[in-house]
Amino acid sequence: MYYVGLDIHQRSTNVEILDCNGKLVKRGEWKLPWPQLADQLKKDAPTPFAVCFEASCGYGYLFEEFSKVAQMVKAAHPGSLRLIYKSKRKNNRVDAGKLARLLYLDAVPSVYVPGKETRLWRQTIEFRQSLLIRLVALKNQIRASLRERGIASPKGLWTVKGVTWFKTQGESDDAWALRRDLLVEELCELKKKIKRVELQLKKMSNPRPGTALLMTIPGIGPRTAEALVAYIDNANRFSSVRKAGSYFGWDPCQDASADKNRLGHITRNGPPTVRKLLVEAAWQSVRRSPTIKAFYDRVTHNDPDRKKIAIVATAHYLTRVAVSMLKSGEVWREDPRLKPDNEAGTSGDALGGAAPQPPPPKAQPPGGGGVEGRAHQEG
């Protein structure tokens, strides 16, 4: 087996090839566009060979192209390539050589590469999120324009009635009226774009049964469910639900030495869009589900200063539950000991520290009812 390291850029690619003993076979630079890289690799690299490159924009396309000609392809995680980022000497040729050596040593911090349809789904989810960010910024501009003129905005400013009211403000000031009209036009245009994107997301998520399955969790809506399914992709690739939590960046940073163990904020690895949606869904879940409410209260310890910590822990809990449900294929079930009609009393008990304990593992049925039980045990 030969080992090929590629440092790929838009207009040039540095390559280094090692043999089965780790000795240099070939080194060079290609001035080629991406569609020609696979063909050039097939010509220059002795067979059989494996390829390693850094995962960046377009890594899915490159992975598929290289898979046609190579026996093994690995996309390296950019944030974990410490041999490159910690080096005192860094250039394209050196980076290609280190990627080849990492591949030879079987030490590549590889990333999961989903299929083409899943990648397109993820890109559409992220595109909707970028439109929402622009919409929020635009709404802030509208509020600021009203404050500049000392005008108090009414409730429901973003409804049809509220936007109509905003159009009537500042008619005597031509400059401000121009700004107002352009803001309103952009607001309406962004809302139409978001609706179009959401229609496309609905078409993409309908064939996926996991989306409807996760929506049985109280507080989980279609946008959160589809984001979870798209980024989890294959739930069986996680050997445990704890690894799924780590994949989404919910586990805390750790600095342990000797008898000291310091835990900090969450790592924030993985897709930030999913974490944002899950935190928003967690607030709804706490209000709607006595099981999730009991978990949240157990983490707060009746301390108002721990609300943010508790809601992040609840979002982590929902991630683990979602992975367990996708593995088992069973819908959400509330803890039978926490009935909705006794929700008020249950919440009070949980605030007092009497958090519900899961049944023994042997007594749990496979999947379904055991989903939240296992998550409680691990939480």
Side-chain angles (χ1 to χ4, degrees), residues 16 20 110 155 168 191 209 219 225 237 247 252 302 370 377-378:
E16 183 160 320
C20 59
S110 58
K155 292 183 178 180
T168 62
K191 287 183 176 180
R237 68 189 177 100
Y247 171 78
N302 204 19
Q377 190 176 23
E378 292 169 359

Side-chain angles (χ1 to χ4, degrees), residues 116-125 196-209 211 223 226 229-230:
K116 184 177 180 179
E117 291 184 359
T118 302
R119 294 200 308 271
L120 290 174
W121 194 13
R122 291 181 178 183
Q123 291 166 8
T124 310
I125 291 171
R196 288 183 61 187
V197 173
E198 289 178 349
L199 286 175
Q200 180 62 32
L201 285 173
K202 186 177 180 180
K203 292 179 182 179
M204 300 174 82
S205 61
N206 279 342
R208 312 287 183 114
T211 305
R223 301 288 79 85
E226 69 191 9
V229 174

Side-chain angles (χ1 to χ4, degrees), residues 119-259:
R119 294 200 308 271
L120 290 174
W121 194 13
R122 291 181 178 183
Q123 291 166 8
T124 310
I125 291 171
E126 296 296 337
F127 181 61
R128 175 184 175 272
Q129 187 63 30
S130 66
L131 290 177
L132 288 177
I133 293 173
R134 289 166 56 186
L135 181 63
V136 170
L138 183 63
K139 288 181 177 180
N140 290 336
Q141 290 182 42
I142 293 175
R143 290 193 184 97
S145 67
L146 290 172
R147 285 196 300 268
E148 290 171 359
R149 298 179 63 85
I151 302 174
S153 57
K155 292 183 178 180
L157 178 59
W158 313 121
T159 62
V160 175
K161 184 178 179 180
V163 173
T164 304
W165 170 87
F166 178 66
K167 291 179 181 179
T168 62
Q169 304 302 307
E171 294 181 349
S172 59
D173 191 339
D174 293 340
W176 193 86
L178 174 64
R179 177 185 174 190
R180 175 204 62 201
D181 293 342
L182 292 177
L183 288 174
V184 171
E185 289 177 9
E186 189 175 356
L187 178 68
C188 297
E189 183 181 356
L190 276 175
K191 287 183 176 180
K192 290 179 182 178
K193 288 181 179 180
I194 292 172
K195 287 183 180 179
R196 288 183 61 187
V197 173
E198 289 178 349
L199 286 175
Q200 180 62 32
L201 285 173
K202 186 177 180 180
K203 292 179 182 179
M204 300 174 82
S205 61
N206 279 342
R208 312 287 183 114
T211 305
L213 180 68
L214 296 188
M215 286 177 63
T216 62
I217 303 175
I220 298 290
R223 301 288 79 85
T224 306
E226 69 191 9
L228 276 169
V229 174
Y231 278 94
I232 291 172
D233 193 24
N234 179 15
N236 292 321
R237 68 189 177 100
F238 300 109
S239 59
S240 68
V241 292
R242 290 185 181 275
K243 290 187 177 180
S246 177
Y247 171 78
F248 285 103
W250 293 119
D251 52 337
C253 296
Q254 185 179 24
D255 183 9
S257 179
D259 58 343

